[in-house]
Each structure stands twice: as structure tokens, then as C-alpha cells.
Amino acid sequence: MILLGSTGSIGVNTLIVAKKFGISVEVLVCGKNIKLLNEQIKEHNPKVVVIADKEDISLVNHSRVYSGSEAILEIIEDASSSLVVNALVGFLGLAPTLKAIECNKKVALANKESLVACGAFIDPKQIQPIDSEHFGLWYLLQDRPVSKMIITASGGAFRDWDIKKLQNATLADTQNHPNWSMGQKITIDSATMVNKMFELLEARWLFGEGTNGVSEFDAIIETKSLIHALIDFKDGSTTAHLAHASMQLPIAYALNQKMDENILSHVDLLKVGSLEFREITTDRYPVWEIKKELLKNPARGAVVNAANEAAIEKFINKEIGFMDISKDIIRAFEKFTQLPKSIEEVFLIDEEVRAFVKGKI
Ligand SMILES: NC(=O)C1=CN([C@@H]2O[C@H](COP(=O)(O)OP(=O)(O)OC[C@H]3O[C@@H](n4cnc5c(N)ncnc54)[C@H](OP(=O)(O)O)[C@@H]3O)[C@@H](O)[C@H]2O)C=CC1
Ligand SMILES: CC(=O)[C@@H](O)[C@H](O)COP(=O)(O)O
Ligand SMILES: [Mn+2]
């Protein structure tokens, strides 16, 4: 397989699962964590590696090392593996997703930003979702009419905070996720609830298309992250996908569709005792205000994604407070209303929205 983002949270879990199933690793791609990359090279013996910066090439213990985003695309084209696991973070993951699809490779997709920004131009048949909620929906889906798909949110780091204190929350505060251990950006997205908004879009692109496409999607908070997805069927039944909070189960299915062995221990409901559900409210999660409008026009995800990435950059640089991330997103959403008509337009909108949020236009 080709693994993009090998040193991240999903990347590391992917290598654990690949080892368990004896899946060979042809290409490793990462950013700046050369120390971990060197350990991965020793253990998985890839044929080629790609890193972010040219200056770091000499630090990598491998004879075939390339750098930069163009090199990622070239390697996807040249490599013989038919499976690309995309665990890059952010909009930079989109071009590799598109390249893998163009090369007719199967994409095991963790990089949700690909679908959020460009779902209108991606054929869901070429995607196997790694995101836990979409894996849950895929797992639950049967040949029966569905009335609604529901995904769950943990509520993020600030679900129990006094709302008045949220504006002054720090980057370190955002990283205290109650249930999952994940990369920095998605953990911020979880705290703003942008992650769940993105996941509604992801669900819409994956399951909302075609003649039997589902027309209603929503999210609720389940504080223990044991239920990941629910499906309301037209007949009045609701089914739920329960599993412990580990990405190894979705990854295992993405790498190996036939699963006849145990990956996780079962959830013991007697030990769990009780579950708590909460509504996602706009006072704590202001970005939820645009949910309805966004789901009506999911191609506007390109705007929301770009605004979110630019606002997060400002938050990390301490130029804005935590609640301003959502304000910036809403401001951009109100200003940019055009729908991209092509992939090229997605990239143009992305550039323009970033410039707007950063105050350059
Ligand atoms: N973590 C999770 O449980 C889940 C994550 N996702 C999604 O999966 C994706 C990855 O998330 P996660 O693993 O948490 O993120 P991380 O931040 O942990 O990992 C990101 C990976 O991308 C690499 N990377 C960053 N910039 C570059 C670059 N310029 N060139 C090459 N590689 C680069 C990083 O390399 P390095 O560290 O070496 O700089 C790292 O390997 C995100 O889209 C996220 O939303 C979805 C569901 C669950
Ligand atoms: C593991 C996974 O799929 C994440 O997307 C997770 O759902 C994030 O947690 P939140 O529910 O807090 O957004
Ligand atoms: Mn998720």
C-alpha cells in the first residue's frame, strides 16, 4: 500500500493494522517527523519515501527519498500498489486523493477535508471511509429504506466548560479531548464542532447520492463515544454501531474488507452502565448555525474548509480567540456563496477564502 501521513495518529494505527495483516508497505509519506519515519522505515522497509522539506532529505535513512507535494502525486502515479491510505491532514490531502482516483487506485480515506472541499467531484464508489462515524454508517447500512442517518459527537474538550470562558481557551486546552487521541487539527475541530459539520458533509457525499441516496443527516452528542453512528430505517427501527474508541477497526476494514478475526474487545454494557445524549447547541458551538444551509448546498464545504484552516492558523498564532474561529467561518460562509463548477474552481475558492479570512482581500 501507499501510506500518506504515516507519522500521524491515523498513520501510526494504519501501520499497526498493516503489520497484523501482513500488508506490505510500498510508500511512506510524512511531513517533518523524521525520527519516527526512520523507525517506520526500519520496521516496514518501504521502497520509496516522501517528506515535506528538501532540507531534511539527508536525515532520512533511505536511498530513495523525495520531497514536496508534487513528489507525492508522482509517487502515487508510479507506485504499483492499488491501495492508497490518505491520512494527511487538511486541504493538502485533496490533490493526492484526486490523483489516486485518476490512477484508478482504491482510496482508504481518513483525510475528510478531501470530501468536505471537493465532494461534488469525487465518486464515492472509489472511496472506503476510515472516519469512525462513516465506517459505522457503512457497517449498519442494509438493503432497507433509510429515513435518516445520525452520527455522534463527543462534544469535544469544552463540552462542560462555562461558555463565557471559551473565548480565552488556549491551544493546549483544545487538545484535552474527552475520548479520542488524535492529531492537533482534528482535535481543535472537535472542540468547535467543525469536525461534526465536516462529517455531516462527508456522510452526505458518501451516502446521499444516487437514486436510493439518503436525504436526512444529523448529529447528536454521546459523551462516551461508544456509539458512532445510528440509522433510522423507514420501518421505525433504529440501529446503532457501538465499538470502543479505536480507529483500528475502521482501518482494518479499509485495508482488508473480509474480516474474520477480532480487532477490538466488545463494549460491555453492564460496565458502561449508562449513556448520555445531548443536543448540539449554537451557544456553545456557534458554527452549528450554518448546518442547515450548508447541507442544502454541500458544495459550499470548500468555503467552510478554507475558512476553518485559515482561522485555525490565526488561533494558533494567537491572533484570534477560540470563539473567533467559528465567527471567521460564518463570515466567510456569508460572503462566498458561489458553488464551484469544477475541481479548478475548488482550488480557486480555497485560495480566495483563505486570503479573505487572513485579511488580505
Ligand atoms: N486521528 C483520528 O483518529 C482521525 C483522523 N481523521 C482525519 O484523518 C486525517 C489525519 O488525522 P491525524 O492522523 O489525526 O493527523 P496528524 O496531525 O496526527 O497527522 C497528519 C499527518 O500528515 C503529515 N503531514 C502534514 N503536513 C504534511 C506535508 N506538507 N507533507 C507530507 N505530510 C504531511 C504529518 O507528518 P508529520 O507529523 O511528520 O509532520 C502526519 O503524518 C485528518 O484529515 C483527520 O481529520 C479522521 C478520523 C479520525
Ligand atoms: C475518531 C473519529 O472519527 C473522530 O472524527 C472523532 O469523531 C472526533 O471526535 P468528536 O466526536 O469529538 O468530533
Ligand atoms: Mn470521526
Side-chain angles (χ1 to χ4, degrees), residues 112 131-134 152 180 182 186 195-196 199 202 247:
K112 63 186 79 185
D131 212 337
S132 63
E133 297 76 8
H134 307 78
T152 60
W180 292 93
M182 310 184 288
I186 187 177
N195 185 46
K196 223 41 61 178
E199 293 182 349
E202 245 187 308
M247 288 308 291

Side-chain angles (χ1 to χ4, degrees), residues 20-40:
K20 184 178 166 87
F21 291 126
I23 295 170
S24 73
V25 179
E26 184 181 6
V27 180
L28 287 178
V29 174
C30 81
K32 295 176 191 303
N33 191 347
I34 308 300
K35 185 170 176 285
L36 178 55
L37 175 67
N38 280 332
E39 290 167 23
Q40 294 178 341

Side-chain angles (χ1 to χ4, degrees), residues 30-35 37-38 49-62 65-67:
C30 81
K32 295 176 191 303
N33 191 347
I34 308 300
K35 185 170 176 285
L37 175 67
N38 280 332
V49 298
V50 184
I51 60 172
D53 300 324
K54 203 172 167 189
E55 304 78 62
D56 290 337
I57 288 183
S58 62
L59 305 173
V60 181
N61 300 330
H62 201 284
V65 190
Y66 302 93
S67 67

Side-chain angles (χ1 to χ4, degrees), residues 313-332:
E313 206 179 309
K314 290 197 318 187
F315 172 68
I316 290 173
N317 293 336
K318 298 196 170 78
E319 291 164 39
I320 57 171
F322 176 74
M323 292 303 256
D324 297 326
I325 300 175
S326 300
K327 280 192 193 144
D328 269 350
I329 295 170
I330 294 168
R331 213 161 50 85

Side-chain angles (χ1 to χ4, degrees), residues 224 226-227 242-244 266-275:
K224 290 182 179 158
L226 288 173
I227 298 181
L242 280 88
H244 285 297
H266 293 104
V267 174
D268 182 336
L269 291 177
L270 289 178
K271 277 196 190 136
V272 172
S274 62
L275 291 173

